[in-house]
Amino acid sequence: LGDKGLSVREIGNIRKPIVWTLHDEWPFRGVHHYEPDPSSSALLRYLEARLTEDKRKHWFASGHRFYAIAPSVWMKSQLLGSSIGSSATVEVIPYPLDTNFWSPGPIPASRANLAVDPHLFAVLFVGDTRDPRKGFSKLCAAVWAHNREQTEGEDTKIIQLLVAGKHQPPHHGQHRHLHYLGNMDSVN
């Protein structure tokens, strides 16, 4: 497609099999790339329904050969559980990972390199802390609630929350057990 786009109808007019990698939910939602907010406006709900029906008509109900590649079992279940993708052919092929770079190293050296307290249990969050779909605020609430219940001297039960991503977490600097590692390309 390059820098051009195709309409839903134009994609439906392609008479060759289509293999589509599902990086988000747009192929089986209406205008949204993820499950829509139920409180969205009447106009947005109308557009969502209209485009969903167009996709059903031009892609799924036309006998078109549409194959989906899902990078996770979760994304596959989202497609198969959607109103228009329940009969889609879908395979799970995880995103590739360079295991020469992303492989476990010695834990003490890794903790020292990242300035992680060696006596605390560490939980890593990687992603956009500002995106409510990622659940960062819920994770923080659970970690802080857990840590409040611990007594001094039980350091091995205290959780240190490590965060890697583009944006500093909103609570950075307010909690002593929150450690921002920076953007992933800056982590050594």
Side-chain angles (χ1 to χ4, degrees), residues 72-84:
S72 66
V73 173
W74 177 83
M75 183 63 82
K76 177 181 179 177
S77 70
Q78 293 298 101
L79 171 63
L80 295 176
S82 72
S83 64
I84 63 174

Side-chain angles (χ1 to χ4, degrees), residues 124-166:
L124 175 64
F125 177 91
V126 179
D128 187 349
T129 58
R130 301 176 309 171
D131 186 338
R133 293 169 297 150
K134 305 298 181 186
F136 182 71
S137 62
K138 292 178 182 178
L139 175 62
C140 283
V143 168
W144 307 152
H146 168 83
N147 285 351
R148 278 192 303 272
E149 293 175 2
Q150 304 307 307
T151 59
E152 292 300 321
E154 291 186 85
D155 281 349
T156 56
K157 293 183 181 177
I158 297 287
I159 296 173
Q160 182 172 20
L161 182 56
L162 311 175
V163 179
K166 190 168 153 180

